[in-house]
Amino acid sequence: AEPIESITELPDSQKSFVAEQLIDLFFKEMFEFKLIQTDPNFANFHYQLETQKIVLFDFGATREISTELSLA
């Protein structure tokens, strides 16, 4: 996996795909996992080009999302 910033070297279509994945990840964290990473700096995100997957690091700073909030 490469640092997430490495996607700047990819074609626009792949950059858009990664952006969609990041947005999807946020909504999954918020509404499905009900656990959100509260230290979203670039060092905690990598990208695996071969599998087209985002890799997350450092779950030491997370916050639980209440069911009430996730249903809002």
Side-chain angles (χ1 to χ4, degrees):
E2 299 293 324
I4 196 79
E5 306 96 271
S6 68
I7 70 164
T8 59
E9 306 298 321
L10 298 176
D12 286 344
S13 61
Q14 285 186 292
K15 287 189 269 192
S16 293
F17 177 74
V18 174
E20 288 174 21
Q21 285 187 308
L22 287 167
I23 292 167
D24 186 54
L25 173 61
F26 169 77
F27 284 109
K28 282 184 177 178
E29 286 179 340
M30 188 78 175
F31 299 108
E32 186 178 330
F33 307 144
K34 297 180 187 168
L35 187 71
I36 197 162
Q37 187 178 31
T38 57
D39 186 19
N41 67 66
F42 286 136
N44 291 333
F45 293 84
H46 280 203
Y47 185 68
Q48 288 181 336
L49 185 59
E50 304 80 30
T51 62
Q52 297 186 325
K53 300 278 184 187
I54 295 170
V55 179
L56 300 176
F57 298 97
D58 189 6
F59 290 93
T62 59
R63 182 169 184 166
E64 194 170 335
I65 303 299
S66 69
T67 300
E68 180 180 294
L69 181 60
S70 72
L71 294 175

